[in-house]
Amino acid sequence: MREASRELIIRGAHVLDPLSGLDEVTDVRLAAGRVAEVGAGLRGARRLDADGLHLFPGFVDVHAHWRTPGREDEETIETGSAAAAAGGFTSVVMMPNTDPIVDKPVIVSGLVRRIENESRVRAHVSVALHEGLRGERLTEMRLLKEAGAFCVSDDGLGTQSAGVLRNGMLYAKTAGLPVILHCEDHTLATGAVHDGVPAALAGIPGSPASAEDAATATALVLATETGAKVHITHVSTALSAGLVGYFKDRADVTADTTPHHLTLTDELVGTLDGMYRVNPPLRPEKHRRDVGEALRGGILDFVATDHAPHSLSEKDLPLEEAAPGFLGHETAFAAIHTELVLKDKLSLSRLIEAMASAPGRWIGGAGTLGVGAPADLALVDLSEEWTVRPEEMVSRSRNSPYLGQKLRGRLVGTVVGGELVYDRIGERVGERV
Ligand code: DOR
C-alpha cells in the first residue's frame, strides 16, 4: 500500500466527521498521505469535484475473514481488500480461522508481508488465542505480537472452558494484546439457526439465544476480574446487549454488532436457503430492534461486518448443511443506511461514529478527518439507489444476503493514505494546468 505524495483537493462535499465535529459542505486538502487542511475555497492543481456527495472518515472493520492462507478460492488479501475498499473501509482486522490457523509467528510475519504487497487498505492481523483454536493451549502471544499480531481471537468458535478463557485473558493482558471474543456456548448452540418459530415451522434444529447470552455473561465477568481489554464481537441478542451495558463501566470492554443482525431477521429461515445460515444466527425482530437500540444509544460501540466469504458449493445447500457466514464489506453502509437511517432509527452521524470513529479509536489513530490524520476517507452518494447483483460483487465470493435487494447510498470513492483505492468517478478528478 503506497501513501500518495501528490496533493488532492476534494471540493464541495458534505463533510461529516463526528470526532472533529465537522458537519458542513466544505473542501479538504490531502497531502503527503494526510489530511492537510479543511476549509472552503481551497485551490490546487489536482482536485476532485464532489458536489452532492458526502465525505466521511474511512470506515474501519475489526472483523473480516479474508480466507488467506488456505481458502484463496473464496477470498484473498487482494480481493478481500478490494471488497473492503468498495464498501468504504480503509482499515480491516483479519481473523485467524484460516488454514493453517494463524497461531505461529512465521504465519503472522508472512501475512504482514503479504498485506504490505497485496492489500489496498490498511489491514491488521488477529492471531488465535489458543493453538489450533482448540481452546486448550494458549498461543505464544508475546512472540506473535513481535511478529506483527494486532490482537487475539478464537473467532468462529466460542471458548468453552471459563478457566481456559480466564488464563487467556490474563496472558493477553500481559502481552498487551486486546482480545476479540466470539461468545457462543457450544453445549447450547447445537442447531443451525435461531431456535424460534420459523425454525420450528421449517423443522430445522435451532440454537437458543442463551447460547450467546451465557457465553457473553461469562466473558464479561472474566473481563471484569482480569482487567483484560476485551471486545465482544457480533452481539445479536437483546440480553447480550443489555449485559454489555451493565459491564461497560466495570470492565475494559467494548462490543460490536453486524449489519445483518441490524437489518435481517430469522424470518429468512422460512426460505430454507443455505445462504441465510450465519453464526450467531439471524434473530427474531425483537432482538433486531433491541440490538439496533443498543447501537443507537452507544451500549454497542460499533459495527463490524464479520465479512465471511464462502464458495457457492458451501452455500447452495439446505440450511442445516450450509457453511455459516455472509459477505459484509460491500453492503454494510448501504444496508444500515437504508434500513435504519432512512427509517429514522439511527442518525447518519451515529452511523458514521459506529463505522469510523469508534472502531477507529479501537484500532488507534483512525476514523477521523481532523487535520494531521491519515488521509483515509469514504466518498458516498447517499441518494444513489442500487441493486446488489452477484456479478457486480468485488469479493471473490457471492454469498451476500442482500442479493437482489435495492439499497440506497453507494460508495463513489475510497481513499487510503491519500490514494484513490476505489474509484467510480475517475472522470471527476480534474487535472488543472
Ligand atoms: O457466520 C460466521 N462465519 N460466523 C463466524 O463466526 C465465522 C464465520 C466464518 O469464518 O465463516
Side-chain angles (χ1 to χ4, degrees), residues 138-152:
L138 293 173
T139 52
E140 278 296 349
M141 293 178 218
R142 284 168 187 275
L143 299 179
L144 291 164
K145 188 178 181 189
E146 273 170 33
F150 187 77
C151 56
V152 290

Side-chain angles (χ1 to χ4, degrees), residues 19-105:
L19 209 60
S20 65
L22 275 168
D23 187 3
E24 66 204 50
V25 173
T26 189
D27 304 337
V28 177
R29 183 198 307 278
L30 311 179
R34 300 204 161 253
V35 177
E37 196 178 359
V38 180
L42 299 183
R43 301 197 181 285
R46 211 164 150 260
R47 63 164 195 265
L48 191 144
D49 288 317
D51 298 331
L53 301 180
H54 275 70
L55 183 64
F56 305 127
F59 304 147
V60 176
D61 195 349
V62 306
H63 194 145
H65 300 270
W66 284 357
R67 302 298 187 222
T68 300
R71 286 305 304 267
E72 288 82 355
D73 59 311
E74 294 183 331
E75 200 75 290
T76 62
I77 292 174
E78 227 282 282
T79 60
S81 67
F89 291 97
T90 53
S91 293
V92 166
V93 176
M94 292 169 65
M95 285 295 147
N97 61 339
T98 48
D99 183 12
I101 283 156
V102 186
D103 59 2
K104 293 188 182 56

Side-chain angles (χ1 to χ4, degrees), residues 63 65 67 97 155-156 182 234 278-280 306 308 310 324-325:
H63 194 145
H65 300 270
R67 302 298 187 222
N97 61 339
D155 183 62
H182 169 130
H234 48 49
V278 67
N279 272 348
D306 197 1
H310 285 291

Side-chain angles (χ1 to χ4, degrees), residues 41 44 65 79 174 194 221 237 305 319 339 364 396 402 411 414:
H65 300 270
T79 60
T174 63
H194 176 81
V221 167
T237 71
T305 69
L319 260 167
E339 270 307 310
R396 182 160 279 183
Y402 303 104
L411 262 293
T414 303

Side-chain angles (χ1 to χ4, degrees), residues 95 177 221 233 256 287 318 351 371:
M95 285 295 147
L177 290 171
V221 167
T233 194
D256 72 68
H287 289 282
L351 175 56
V371 170

